[in-house]
Amino acid sequence: MTQVLLIFLPILFALLLPMLHKKISRVHTGWFVLLVPFALVLYYASFVPKIGDGPFTSTFYWVKSLDLSITSHLDGLSLLFSLLITGIGTLVVLYSIFYLDKKKEQLHNFYFYLLMFMTAMLGVVQSDHLISLYLFWELTSISSFLLIAYWYKRDKSRFGALKSMMITVFGGLMMLGGFLLLANAGGTYSIRELIANSSTIAESPYFVWMIVLILLGAFTKSAQFPFYIWLPDAMEAPTPVSAYLHSATMVKAGIYLVARLTPLFAISEYWIWFVVASGIITLFWGSFFAVKQTDLKGILAFSTVSQLGMIMAMLGAAGIALHVDSPQQTIFAFAAYAAIFHLINHATFKGSLFMIAGIVDHETGTRDIRKLGGLMSLMPISFTIAAIGSLSMAGLPPFNGFLSKELFLTSMLSLKEFELFNFSTWGPIIPWVAWIASIFTFVYCLYFAYYTFMGKGKVDKLPKKPHEAPIGMLISPIILATLVVVIFFIPNVIGKYFIKPAVLAIQPQLYNASSDVAIHVQAFHGFTPELKMTIGVVLIGFILFLTLKKWQPLYQLQPDKLSLNNLYDRMMRLADVDSKKISELYMTGAIRHYLMYMFSFIVVIVIATLFWKDGFNFSFENTAKIGLFEIIVVFVLVASTVTVFAARTRLTAIIALGAVGYSVALFFVIFNAPDLALTQLVIETVSVALFLLAFYHLPKLSRHEEAMPFKMRNFLIALGVGIMVTLLALSAQSQKLIPSISQYYKDTVYTEAGGGNIVNVILVDYRGFDTLFEITVLSIAGMAILGMIKLRLSKKEKKSNENE
Amino acid sequence: MKMNNVILKTTVQVSFFIIFLFSIHIFLAGHFAPGGGFVGGLLTASALVLLLLTYDIKTVQKLLPINYMMMTAVGLALALGTASISVFFGDAFFKHYFSHFEIPLLGNTELHTAMLFDSGVYLVVVGVTMIIIQSIGGDE
């Protein structure tokens, strides 16, 4: 229970923030906030030594009857993510205390969103229940939306927030669909139980759909190709947010989901293909376009995209281990380990790089790499950190990026050897693409560090006079950079406590305990192909970097119209402007048109149904004889109806309408309905009088006394409606299924109801309920008319009302 | 219209009561012969309309100081109340009761709660018709 409750600790603490912010405004609110992630880090760290003993589960039932629960399930994978979230969270909060000004910023909003995000993220990685996972997943989207738009007065922030919201929520909804299919096929919402039943789920006809839908969710969240476009625009957020959400945690939610569901879906070749292909394409695309960027955070955003693609590709390769014999002995076993290792490394170096970008922005007033340069001597500490982070990202020793890049190349080379699922055709290309992407990675890492800190800078022209950042701002990146170096020297300690338990969660089929994962990482293991590839990367990357100025302009060749951002903008315009145009086409505002739609649709629907259900079955056996009176009255009726339409003046039409009413009354007389005849006569008189009244009050100007113009379209629709009603009446008359109940009324009208006039007795006794509401309708009509006439506003009053 | 329409006024003075009585007759006879609250109400209203046509609204209002809004409300309440009587006796909503009584002058007569309900209908119909006609007719 505590375990579940602690997920909610950040958001519960956030409720205190407005008070803290207002009452204790002397102290930066961030200091209070810092306590929360720090406490959580300590709590989760206490699990590290015992995580080998097995998962820790705690459940809180939310809606028991619907089997909805929030289950916190801590195994190696969730624990690793929880530590990343709270650990980097602590550092980011510390950094933000110095980054955000106490007086100028709305800190309570900022930390509220941040803590909300922390809860959401912890919920995502610890949930064992699909629905609660989805719930927290959307909460991350919402809090990310709020954080990106933190400076909501800037257009770009709002644009970026909306874009990330649209894309991630689209993915989230798709994922929900996948989850529902999955829960339907597996019969449970619990991820653990689903993984246990994975073989039955694989037989579901919707198996591929589940994969596609869930992967859409994971890919949109983790900024995979082609959904990465929201991430560069999300860089409008404050830098602590970019460092936290958009490099270390939220974008890894998709990675987490893929890793978590690998044991379930890796049976399928589609899963492996989709994950590997999207990862490789994203890796290449991100690293290729990172060199084009001129904004520091833009470079880092594209590099995040690229690195996420790299982790994704390794996770795809990790799925392959299920399909080979004796996987522990082959190099396929490396992929999952490599993915998790790189995930940790990426969080460390990318977090520190973002913080450095923030410091540079903070101290110089610009993030444009074309204006920066020569800051090395002014900001030595920042430069050191940036150099460590960049070189680690580039994959050079003695930094942790080197180790995971080697493992990455190992696992990509392993794809070449894999023979199932047509990998023999496309597999050999993959290591080459990965290698080229690594070269570009190397180039943009140098590009980032060199053009910011070295070279000839125009320091005097910067918006602010640069100087080294305050120590408080530097603590967090220093810690992260230290980790980058430390991990290089003790990779196997990290491996034992963090990576191997996580690998066990990804590949439970292969290992019984985390100690079974027999991978030992070392910096040098002979002249393997990986090492040669790395040497190649460094050499070619260096040459490319030196000639950067010559070929960088080539990026301008890409036309803006063909970019994915342009596609997104077009789609948004389609959803907004163009769909409005379409609805304006038929929503004309003219009641005439709406009536036309309604009438034509009812004709089509009814006649089509009659045809379809074979409803045309007319019989004239039980019809009564037609007498002379009926013929005469019908003749009068038809004549007066035609007159209504053919009348040249309104007065004629009104009188003809009266004639129609009186002939209907005559019908009632002929058909033995004296009550109806009486009522009809009186009502007709009153309504004709009212028509005349309305006629008299028509405005003078528009009183065109001319016959109704003939319109073919209206005629056809009217004809259709007439035919439809006639057909319907005829077929209803000829196909009576059950006899009428009127005999009962005839038998009991005196004995039961004490009356003689069946019509009236039905009205007040048998079915008095209807009458009660009919007189209510009458009263409402009367009051409405009274209200319309007595309570209408004069023009003067109307104007003054509008102004109010 | 400042015409002194003596013939009209004189005939209306007689015919108003005939129409009114006829409408009451139709209303009361409703349970056994054609008629009932609705037609009865409409006919009463038309008798009143005849008055309105002959005299003007203010005169009629002076002659018959009736608040038609109130009349409608009373009619609705009466109808609903009649329908609810049965609830207090433990029966279903809208159950009517009737019995035969020896009444002086009228002899053996059937009294029926449906009649009360019908009176509600009658009052509502008269009230609403008059509201409509007065409000439209009285509008400038």
Side-chain angles (χ1 to χ4, degrees):
Chain A
M1 195 61 207
T2 357
Q3 210 179 316
V4 178
L5 205 64
L6 280 176
I7 295 181
F8 293 97
L9 177 71
I11 203 163
L12 291 177
F13 183 82
L15 295 176
L16 298 176
L17 279 181
M19 191 196 76
L20 285 175
H21 177 68
K22 214 165 190 181
K23 298 282 172 200
I24 317 175
S25 49
R26 257 178 324 114
V27 186
H28 195 285
T29 320
W31 289 111
F32 303 111
V33 177
L34 191 60
L35 297 172
V36 178
F38 191 64
L40 285 174
V41 171
L42 294 182
Y43 175 73
Y44 290 121
S46 70
F47 281 95
V48 170
K50 52 185 178 181
I51 196 68
D53 304 339
F56 299 87
T57 309
S58 144
T59 301
F60 164 72
Y61 280 99
W62 170 29
V63 184
K64 201 157 190 178
S65 56
L66 292 176
D67 193 23
L68 291 183
S69 65
I70 294 178
T71 303
S72 159
H73 176 72
L74 274 180
D75 60 1
L77 190 64
S78 342
L79 184 68
L80 173 67
F81 270 93
S82 304
L83 278 170
L84 274 180
I85 292 158
T86 49
I88 306 235
T90 314
L91 297 176
V92 160
V93 171
L94 181 66
Y95 175 77
S96 69
I97 293 173
F98 295 92
Y99 186 85
L100 293 172
D101 192 277
K102 186 167 69 184
K103 284 175 194 139
K104 289 182 205 151
E105 306 282 355
Q106 296 173 308
L107 290 173
H108 53 302
N109 285 351
F110 180 80
Y111 287 113
F112 197 107
Y113 304 153
L114 201 73
L115 288 173
M116 183 161 119
F117 170 78
M118 205 178 282
T119 285
M121 207 56 214
L122 285 174
V124 166
V125 299
Q126 294 182 13
S127 282
D128 185 51
H129 192 280
L130 286 177
I131 299 299
S132 68
L133 173 59
Y134 172 72
L135 188 84
F136 287 117
W137 185 278
E138 291 299 25
L139 194 59
T140 63
S141 298
I142 291 165
S143 46
S144 157
F145 169 79
L146 292 169
L147 282 167
I148 296 170
Y150 172 67
W151 287 312
Y152 55 85
K153 284 180 182 156
R154 301 182 186 169
D155 280 340
K156 274 185 152 184
S157 297
R158 295 199 305 270
F159 174 76
L162 184 66
K163 194 170 181 178
S164 75
M165 180 84 156
M166 294 304 272
I167 294 176
T168 53
V169 168
F170 159 76
L173 285 174
M174 296 294 123
M175 191 186 77
L176 176 65
F179 280 176
L180 293 177
L181 285 176
L182 182 59
N184 221 358
T188 169
Y189 281 108
S190 160
I191 297 172
R192 275 174 301 157
E193 291 169 29
L194 285 168
I195 289 173
N197 305 346
S198 61
S199 50
T200 39
I201 294 168
E203 284 156 19
S204 160
Y206 302 109
F207 192 56
V208 179
W209 276 108
M210 293 173 206
I211 291 177
V212 170
L213 290 174
I214 292 177
L215 281 183
L216 267 178
F219 287 173
T220 48
K221 199 71 159 182
S222 279
Q224 297 293 296
F225 182 87
F227 305 111
Y228 71 88
I229 49 171
W230 64 267
L231 189 64
D233 282 308
M235 290 302 130
E236 291 304 319
T239 304
V241 173
S242 312
Y244 188 37
L245 273 69
H246 305 129
S247 74
T249 53
M250 188 180 84
V251 286
K252 294 201 171 109
I255 303 270
Y256 167 79
L257 191 71
V258 170
R260 175 58 77 203
L261 296 179
T262 293
L264 182 56
F265 286 123
I267 313 173
S268 161
E269 55 177 310
Y270 296 103
W271 174 270
I272 292 171
W273 260 118
F274 286 145
V275 176
V276 170
S278 104
I280 285 290
I281 295 172
T282 314
L283 165 66
F284 174 75
W285 192 275
S287 64
F288 184 67
F289 282 99
V291 189
K292 180 192 175 187
Q293 306 305 313
T294 51
D295 177 18
L296 283 187
K297 281 172 86 177
I299 301 174
L300 291 177
F302 273 91
S303 102
T304 303
V305 168
S306 156
Q307 305 273 318
L308 290 171
M310 180 168 157
I311 301 175
M312 205 58 106
M314 290 190 270
L315 281 176
I320 289 179
L322 282 178
H323 298 277
V324 291
D325 301 327
S326 63
Q328 284 91 332
Q329 274 78 50
T330 55
I331 50 174
F332 298 110
F334 280 90
Y337 190 94
I340 297 297
F341 193 28
H342 194 69
L343 183 107
I344 299 173
N345 295 343
H346 177 249
T348 54
F349 63 67
K350 191 55 63 67
S352 67
L353 284 177
F354 263 111
M355 289 175 187
I356 292 303
I359 288 173
V360 169
D361 184 19
H362 208 262
E363 303 306 331
T364 65
T366 181
R367 292 195 319 240
D368 194 330
I369 203 161
R370 288 166 297 190
K371 295 180 187 157
L372 292 166
L375 294 173
M376 183 168 66
S377 52
L378 293 166
M379 304 168 80
I381 306 176
S382 310
F383 165 70
T384 315
I385 298 165
I388 294 174
S390 309
L391 293 178
S392 175
M393 183 155 73
L396 292 184
F399 307 109
N400 58 6
F402 172 70
L403 301 175
S404 50
K405 173 83 53 121
E406 295 289 283
L407 283 172
F408 163 66
L409 292 173
T410 314
S411 51
M412 287 302 108
L413 284 170
S414 71
L415 290 179
K416 208 166 60 173
E417 297 176 11
F418 188 57
E419 275 156 7
L420 283 174
F421 310 151
N422 299 326
F423 258 90
S424 43
T425 6
W426 294 97
I429 302 174
I430 292 173
W432 281 102
V433 179
W435 186 66
I436 296 170
S438 301
I439 294 173
F440 277 104
T441 307
F442 187 85
V443 173
Y444 73 68
C445 290
L446 289 188
Y447 172 64
F448 174 82
Y450 185 86
Y451 283 97
T452 313
F453 291 99
M454 290 191 264
K456 289 176 288 179
K458 290 156 269 179
V459 179
D460 312 329
K461 288 186 182 165
L462 290 172
K464 284 186 191 168
K465 200 170 154 44
H467 56 80
E468 185 59 270
I471 185 68
M473 227 167 170
L474 286 169
I475 293 174
S476 303
I478 288 174
I479 294 175
L480 286 172
T482 319
L483 277 176
V484 168
V485 182
V486 167
I487 291 175
F488 176 79
F489 292 104
I490 52 158
N492 292 308
V493 178
I494 302 285
K496 186 183 167 203
Y497 288 110
F498 299 102
I499 305 176
K500 287 181 181 175
V503 170
L504 179 67
I506 300 177
Q507 300 177 320
Q509 291 96 331
L510 304 189
Y511 310 107
N512 291 322
S514 60
S515 49
D516 292 354
V517 185
I519 296 169
H520 189 80
V521 186
Q522 55 193 33
F524 181 74
H525 35 83
F527 278 101
T528 48
E530 296 91 291
L531 191 61
K532 289 175 197 155
M533 282 169 90
T534 307
I535 294 170
V537 165
V538 173
L539 286 178
I540 299 180
F542 217 75
I543 295 168
L544 277 179
F545 174 70
L546 290 177
T547 54
L548 182 66
K549 288 283 158 203
K550 288 188 182 121
W551 56 270
Q552 203 183 23
L554 289 179
Y555 280 112
Q556 306 305 327
L557 293 179
Q558 186 212 16
D560 277 342
K561 279 201 172 166
L562 289 178
S563 68
L564 286 167
N565 283 319
N566 193 266
L567 185 72
Y568 168 84
D569 292 341
R570 283 272 299 282
M571 276 165 67
M572 293 302 281
R573 219 177 308 138
L574 191 75
D576 182 10
V577 182
D578 294 346
S579 63
K580 192 174 167 223
K581 271 184 203 153
I582 293 172
S583 34
E584 272 170 359
L585 272 184
Y586 64 93
M587 300 299 283
T588 52
I591 294 178
R592 184 188 302 254
H593 292 153
Y594 301 154
L595 286 176
M596 259 161 50
Y597 307 148
M598 289 194 250
F599 282 130
S600 14
F601 269 97
I602 199 168
V603 167
V604 169
I605 289 168
V606 170
I607 291 186
T609 316
L610 278 180
F611 261 113
W612 190 32
K613 293 280 173 193
D614 210 14
F616 296 109
N617 186 9
F618 306 127
S619 86
F620 296 94
E621 281 169 17
N622 296 323
T623 43
K625 275 236 163 74
I626 304 170
L628 181 63
F629 287 122
E630 283 97 324
I631 296 172
I632 294 172
V633 179
V634 164
F635 183 74
V636 174
L637 188 65
V638 171
S640 38
T641 313
V642 170
T643 318
V644 171
F645 291 107
R648 290 188 64 81
T649 64
R650 286 208 179 85
L651 197 57
T652 323
I654 292 169
I655 291 167
L657 205 59
V660 171
Y662 287 131
S663 34
V664 169
L666 271 181
F667 263 122
F668 289 145
V669 172
I670 295 171
F671 294 137
N672 295 326
D675 293 86
L676 288 182
L678 267 174
T679 316
Q680 173 71 21
L681 276 174
V682 185
I683 284 289
E684 193 58 42
T685 314
V686 173
S687 55
V688 167
L690 286 176
F691 270 129
L692 287 173
L693 203 66
F695 169 74
Y696 183 78
H697 282 293
L698 276 181
K700 291 232 158 38
L701 277 175
S702 62
R703 218 189 268 176
H704 298 297
E705 292 280 330
E706 53 188 44
M708 211 163 31
F710 181 77
K711 285 197 181 116
M712 197 60 193
R713 204 166 44 176
N714 295 0
F715 174 72
L716 285 179
I717 292 174
L719 195 70
V721 173
I723 290 171
M724 176 200 83
V725 172
T726 314
L727 287 177
L728 207 58
L730 280 178
S731 51
Q733 167 67 26
S734 345
Q735 304 176 53
K736 279 185 181 161
L737 288 177
I738 44 170
S740 163
I741 59 161
S742 52
Q743 193 56 43
Y744 169 77
Y745 294 137
K746 284 179 203 160
D747 293 342
T748 58
V749 66
Y750 188 74
T751 52
E752 295 275 326
N757 178 356
I758 295 185
V759 175
N760 199 45
V761 171
I762 288 178
L763 282 181
V764 300
D765 197 343
Y766 290 118
R767 295 188 181 178
F769 217 176
D770 292 351
T771 314
L772 183 61
F773 285 101
E774 274 153 23
I775 56 177
T776 315
V777 167
L778 259 184
S779 321
I780 292 171
M783 280 182 265
I785 289 173
L786 187 70
M788 261 164 32
I789 289 174
K790 298 279 179 203
L791 300 180
R792 69 189 159 185
L793 301 170
S794 66
K795 271 183 188 167
K796 242 185 195 171
E797 282 170 302
K798 233 182 230 169
K799 251 188 187 164
S800 68
N801 268 12
E802 273 164 16
N803 291 341
E804 270 166 19
Chain B
M1 270 214 284
K2 277 282 171 188
M3 271 201 293
N4 197 1
N5 222 330
V6 184
I7 299 174
L8 181 65
K9 284 183 180 173
T10 319
T11 30
V12 165
Q13 278 164 15
V14 180
S15 57
F16 171 76
F17 290 103
I18 298 174
I19 299 173
F20 186 67
L21 281 177
F22 178 62
S23 77
I24 296 296
H25 165 74
I26 283 234
F27 164 57
L28 289 174
H31 220 56
F32 286 94
F38 201 82
V39 186
L42 277 177
L43 277 176
T44 309
S46 31
L48 292 170
V49 169
L50 195 59
L51 278 187
L52 284 176
L53 286 177
T54 319
Y55 305 95
D56 56 303
I57 290 184
K58 275 177 193 159
T59 322
V60 176
Q61 194 64 47
K62 214 185 282 171
L63 281 171
L64 301 164
I66 302 169
N67 182 347
Y68 292 107
M69 204 53 137
M70 194 60 87
M71 195 177 193
T72 313
V74 169
L76 273 179
L78 192 61
L80 189 63
T82 317
S84 329
I85 291 174
S86 52
V87 176
F88 296 102
F89 293 111
D91 286 319
F93 184 60
F94 237 115
K95 181 176 167 58
H96 285 306
Y97 303 97
F98 65 94
S99 191
H100 290 263
F101 296 97
E102 283 295 334
I103 295 172
L105 289 178
L106 294 174
N108 184 1
T109 313
E110 184 194 84
L111 289 184
H112 200 309
T113 50
M115 201 61 214
L116 282 176
F117 181 75
D118 227 7
S119 325
V121 175
Y122 174 85
L123 290 176
V124 169
V125 171
V126 175
V128 168
T129 318
M130 292 313 290
I131 288 173
I132 293 175
I133 286 173
Q134 276 195 348
S135 56
I136 293 179
D139 183 50
E140 290 305 313

